[in-house]
Amino acid sequence: MNTDLVLQLALQGFLMGGVYGLIALGLSLIFGVMRVINFAHGEMMVFAMFLTITLLLFLGLDPYISLPICAAVMFGIGYLVQRVFVNRILDLPEAMQVLVLVGMGIIFENGTLMIWGGSDISPKTSLALSAIRLGSLTIDVPRLIAFVLAILITLIVMIFLKKTTTGKAIRAAADNRFGALIIGTNINRIYGICFGIGAACVGAAGTLLVPLMPAKATMGAPYTMISFVIVILGGMGSLIGALVGGLIIGVAESLGTVFLPSSMKQVVSFTIMVIILLFRPQGLFGGRG
């Protein structure tokens, strides 16, 4: 086995894992606070990818510049989705919640298809072909930037939740919804903000993926599944777990291509998920967070 190849794949997987962690962060935050799984998560990410591409093609905004715009737009969309749809199903049986959120995913996917069509779109970005040599290893600059920004955004969200009044209210609502209501917390507003933050995180991740891969309207469902696997691996509702889980899955998927075709890399992810569910169902960081 070629050691340089293995190291190169591990490095690429580690950097991609940071973006995976950011995608899963939003899903984990929404579940941790509202106890609902956003099955439209991947489709929302794809919507953000096409929004980023539109800003690039029509206004010339590089993805790294348009990232705050896309995150803000996705925050607004997430807030509206929560207040109009999700808030009405919080007390319904889980099976009915799943149906509504899967339906939201279908609406997002078909909305993306109607607006942007079904073809792959891969616009040229400013740093697309940039790379750094590090000994025998090559580091893609867009992948490195995506990793750094994903970690930075993750840290900002964690600090927001720990240090700000709104963040503390979100954590209080997650710990004890009834107690938060008694002390006068506007739960509906807090839930809307929480869902908006989750959507903004996955929107930012979508923007960071634009320089790395072609966008296609129907590519959302696999990312919903991979983020679900990461959240289970890290621990449902654990933000640190989402980040660590993303890094583990990123490396595992990348190294898995040594033995399996790249089209089967998700076999590695789901194998890890099954093992975790069998031996540590609460995840690596379950209960922390």
Side-chain angles (χ1 to χ4, degrees):
M1 184 181 297
N2 188 322
T3 306
D4 288 342
L5 174 62
V6 172
L7 289 174
Q8 182 69 49
L9 289 172
L11 176 62
Q12 288 184 348
F14 186 78
L15 296 179
M16 190 65 189
V19 182
Y20 278 174
L22 181 59
I23 297 171
L25 181 78
L27 190 70
S28 189
L29 178 63
I30 292 169
F31 177 81
V33 176
M34 283 174 276
R35 298 293 186 268
V36 296
I37 297 172
N38 181 18
F39 284 96
H41 208 61
E43 286 77 5
M44 293 174 82
M45 184 199 78
V46 175
F47 187 90
M49 289 181 76
F50 278 95
L51 180 61
T52 303
I53 291 171
T54 301
L55 292 174
L56 173 63
L57 296 180
F58 289 94
L59 299 179
L61 292 180
D62 194 85
Y64 306 120
I65 296 174
S66 64
L67 189 149
I69 300 173
C70 294
V73 170
M74 293 308 298
F75 176 89
I77 291 174
Y79 186 88
L80 286 175
V81 167
Q82 199 282 332
R83 295 304 297 267
V84 176
F85 299 103
V86 179
N87 208 34
R88 300 169 188 269
I89 63 170
L90 290 178
D91 296 323
L92 296 181
E94 292 177 355
M96 297 184 71
Q97 293 179 355
V98 169
L99 288 175
V100 172
L101 288 165
V102 168
M104 288 302 305
I106 294 173
I107 291 171
F108 266 103
E109 182 176 290
N110 283 277
T112 305
L113 277 168
M114 289 174 62
I115 297 171
W116 289 287
S119 302
D120 291 17
I121 302 179
S122 181
K124 182 180 179 183
T125 55
S126 58
L127 300 173
L129 301 178
S130 302
I132 299 172
R133 293 289 298 178
L134 190 65
S136 60
L137 302 178
T138 301
I139 303 174
D140 297 335
V141 171
R143 201 177 289 262
L144 178 62
I145 294 175
F147 174 81
V148 172
L149 289 177
I151 298 298
L152 183 62
I153 294 169
T154 301
L155 292 176
I156 289 173
V157 171
M158 289 180 178
I159 293 171
F160 172 81
L161 293 174
K162 288 187 181 297
K163 299 295 183 182
T164 67
T165 303
T166 303
K168 290 175 181 176
I170 291 174
R171 292 167 57 203
D175 287 340
N176 189 329
R177 179 187 179 189
F178 185 66
L181 278 169
I182 288 177
I183 62 173
T185 303
N186 186 338
I187 289 292
N188 290 334
R189 175 176 169 272
I190 290 299
Y191 280 1
I193 292 173
C194 175
F195 205 97
I197 293 173
C201 287
V202 78
T207 298
L208 294 174
L209 286 177
V210 168
L212 303 180
M213 62 180 63
K216 190 172 184 178
T218 54
M219 64 188 285
Y223 281 91
T224 299
M225 295 308 298
I226 196 66
S227 56
F228 191 55
V229 169
I230 292 169
V231 169
I232 290 176
L233 172 61
M236 300 289 278
S238 170
L239 304 188
I240 296 174
L243 178 60
V244 175
L247 295 174
I248 292 173
I249 293 297
V251 173
E253 278 193 352
S254 190
L255 290 179
T257 59
V258 176
F259 307 100
L260 297 170
S262 59
S263 59
M264 295 180 65
K265 63 181 183 180
Q266 288 192 343
V267 171
V268 179
S269 308
F270 283 93
T271 302
I272 293 174
M273 184 188 74
V274 170
I275 293 172
I276 285 292
L277 286 175
L278 287 176
F279 296 101
R280 191 174 170 80
Q282 74 272 32
L284 298 177
F285 294 85
R288 290 187 240 171

